[in-house]
Amino acid sequence: MEFKLTDVQESMVATVRKFATKELLPKYRYWDENEQFPREQWQKMAELGLLGLRVSQEYGGQATDCVTAGLMAEEVARGDFSCGYGVLLTCLIGDILDRFATESVKRTWMGPMAEGEKILSIALTEPHCGSDAAALKAKAVRKGDKYILNGEKSSISLLLASDAAVVFARTSAAGAKGISAFLVPMDLPGISRFPYDDMGEKAIVRGSLFMEDVEIPAENLIGNEDTGFIQVMQGFDYSRALIGLMCVGTAQQTLNETIDYVKERKAFGKPLSQNQGISFPIVEWISKIDIIRWLCYRTLWLRDNGLPHTKEAAMCKWLGPETAAAAIHNCLLLHGHYGYTTDFPVEQRLRDVIGLQIGDGTMQVQKMIIGRELFGREFVSF
Ligand SMILES: Cc1cc2nc3c(=O)[nH]c(=O)nc-3n(C[C@H](O)[C@H](O)[C@H](O)COP(=O)(O)OP(=O)(O)OC[C@H]3O[C@@H](n4cnc5c(N)ncnc54)[C@H](O)[C@@H]3O)c2cc1C
């Protein structure tokens, strides 16, 4: 076993940690208050190569391994949880396009995505189905050298800032087989978008997408017709470990700040930190966060080495957001009444991480995935 980061990884972590704390953290509150997509931060992330981590060099990316991508997601989320979506979605979309898109789609979208010029999102969820994503109803019908898309997609991260979305739509009979993926530019006739008023992750400008007779060229089909859903589900495995690390990064940053706070703040004539009732919870959360960190690294290592990692990725996805939310909640309380104000970033981090207790599959769904491996498919129904 080798637990040491490579020299390149160490140096990337150091650079991005500095960037996250010096450039992202000071404006973390600003984007939330203004409910604005942090385009300026996206551009800076692109300059550091953080938006092309899983894009091959041929298309302008870094082509790093998955562990390195995870380290970057963790560091970025220390400064700004929503900016962590930049790493997350460009990794996931980069992988999908790299593996399954036509040459023309790759050339048009991958380089500009890595350079921060084009924003891409993933549109799977629909108003009537999220956990049961295979029940989706949006339709794509082939007509000559075009597909015509109709339907509604909901809860799409980055939608309001997106130049294109990877959209899932039904091309044949019901079920997981029969769903295809398409690259759909957002400036086409028949597209309309509506923003959500979210409790957190406001910078992620989530929203609903409506498609009415939207025509796209047939070459925008990603992968084979009818198998897009199955192809992308393999990608979701991987993003779950990145999400775990985003949560680890933001929780770790909050715990570090809380340590500083309780060393400084006095009650009953001594620093709060001198009470074990204060220090022990922090110690416990740091211990738990460290366990999740290494679970995530290991999951990404399994993927890098072509080994099965579905169960482990689902563990990262339910444990990461759940533990981070509980740890941050505890940190908020340790800040006393100040923690309940917007003067400290703790309340925003709590609102933000709760989003990923739902996004990309809830805890129950992750437990169903793990259960299916442990008990056998026939004993865990979906
Ligand atoms: C911040 C955020 C970002 C998101 N980003 C995207 C995005 O970019 N693209 C996209 O396509 N979607 C996105 N989503 C949507 C997200 O993936 C879905 O909301 C999620 O999969 C859950 O689906 P649902 O909301 O329809 O809940 P439902 O499926 O209706 O589930 C409701 C509740 O019931 C539980 N449940 C459902 N079935 C079972 C069962 N069999 N056993 C036990 N419990 C069950 C669920 O766990 C949940 O608690 C995002 C959501 C959020 C909150």
Side-chain angles (χ1 to χ4, degrees):
M1 273 193 238
E2 174 61 85
F3 288 102
K4 198 179 169 307
L5 302 187
T6 63
D7 290 346
V8 173
Q9 286 169 336
E10 292 276 13
S11 131
M12 286 172 80
V13 164
T15 305
V16 177
R17 185 169 301 178
K18 199 164 152 201
F19 163 72
T21 44
K22 292 245 166 353
E23 305 266 352
L24 299 182
L25 187 54
K27 288 199 81 175
Y28 178 48
R29 173 110 203 104
Y30 175 86
W31 310 111
D32 181 74
E33 245 168 21
N34 292 282
E35 306 192 8
Q36 208 179 320
F37 172 67
R39 200 167 285 279
E40 156 196 329
Q41 312 296 54
W42 235 249
Q43 203 48 54
K44 290 180 190 163
M45 288 196 290
E47 282 159 23
L48 284 174
L50 293 169
L51 302 184
L53 291 164
R54 297 290 296 161
V55 171
S56 59
Q57 286 169 344
E58 191 189 343
Y59 299 104
Q62 319 303 314
T64 66
D65 52 46
C66 294
V67 171
T68 304
L71 293 166
M72 298 301 99
E74 179 182 349
E75 293 309 324
V76 167
R78 276 178 190 260
D80 186 323
F81 191 73
S82 293
C83 287
Y85 272 77
V87 176
L88 172 70
L89 284 172
T90 53
C91 279
L92 186 53
I93 294 168
D95 260 355
I96 293 168
L97 298 186
D98 223 12
R99 285 188 296 158
F100 306 115
T102 57
E103 190 55 31
S104 116
V105 165
K106 285 184 192 179
R107 293 254 166 248
T108 314
W109 295 99
M110 284 173 70
M113 179 182 80
E115 281 156 22
E117 285 166 12
K118 300 274 184 217
I119 313 293
L120 275 77
S121 51
I122 296 193
L124 175 63
T125 305
E126 295 189 0
H128 70 285
C129 71
S131 304
D132 184 12
L136 66 82
K137 291 181 186 159
K139 272 209 174 106
V141 177
R142 178 137 192 177
K143 266 201 182 156
D145 58 356
K146 290 192 168 59
Y147 281 96
I148 317 291
L149 278 81
N150 279 285
E152 180 182 347
K153 294 286 169 186
S154 34
S155 190
I156 313 308
S157 302
L158 298 183
L159 183 71
L160 276 296
S162 287
D163 298 287
V166 174
V167 172
F168 293 88
R170 188 159 292 292
T171 34
S172 66
K177 280 189 191 141
I179 301 173
S180 307
F182 301 90
L183 195 295
V184 181
M186 291 290 105
D187 57 356
L188 295 177
I191 294 274
S192 47
R193 296 180 272 182
F194 295 91
Y196 287 3
D197 184 9
D198 281 336
M199 69 177 261
E201 295 183 3
K202 289 171 185 281
I204 285 321
V205 291
R206 210 162 59 106
S208 278
L209 167 67
F210 293 83
M211 298 175 294
E212 211 183 319
D213 292 329
V214 176
E215 281 188 17
I216 55 164
E219 67 186 18
N220 283 23
L221 173 71
I222 301 169
N224 300 323
E225 196 173 283
D226 291 346
T227 58
F229 182 67
I230 293 158
Q231 287 165 344
V232 153
M233 276 299 139
Q234 289 161 2
F236 269 125
D237 276 353
Y238 156 65
S239 61
R240 286 172 181 152
L242 297 185
I243 288 173
L245 284 166
M246 283 167 62
C247 293
V248 162
T250 206
Q252 184 70 55
Q253 179 67 23
T254 312
L255 285 157
N256 293 350
E257 289 167 7
T258 306
I259 290 175
D260 290 343
Y261 183 81
V262 299
K263 283 187 346 198
E264 185 76 26
R265 175 86 175 166
K266 290 198 175 77
F268 304 102
K270 59 180 184 181
L272 288 175
S273 59
Q274 287 189 12
N275 302 288
Q276 289 182 346
I278 299 279
S279 62
F280 278 13
I282 297 176
V283 167
E284 287 160 19
W285 289 119
I286 290 213
S287 308
K288 288 178 188 170
I289 289 295
D290 209 33
I291 293 168
I292 294 164
R293 172 182 289 116
W294 285 97
L295 170 67
C296 295
Y297 291 169
R298 178 169 166 267
T299 303
L300 294 169
W301 179 90
L302 288 171
R303 184 168 175 109
D304 281 332
N305 286 278
L307 295 166
H309 55 275
T310 299
K311 170 164 61 63
E312 290 76 9
M315 289 175 181
C316 299
K317 176 60 184 61
W318 84 260
L319 273 168
E322 161 96 353
T323 312
I328 294 167
H329 184 191
N330 205 162
C331 288
L332 186 151
L333 300 179
L334 292 176
H335 279 76
H337 77 90
Y338 291 113
Y340 199 61
T341 69
T342 54
D343 294 346
F344 286 82
V346 192
E347 60 81 33
Q348 187 186 341
R349 295 210 187 100
L350 181 57
R351 289 187 281 113
D352 283 0
V353 293
I354 287 173
L356 281 180
Q357 287 189 273
I358 304 165
D360 203 355
T362 62
M363 175 199 281
Q364 288 90 337
V365 167
Q366 308 311 317
K367 289 182 182 174
M368 280 147 67
I369 293 166
I370 299 165
R372 198 168 56 177
E373 282 206 21
L374 296 178
F375 300 106
R377 270 175 184 268
E378 61 278 31
F379 292 100
V380 178
S381 61
F382 269 53

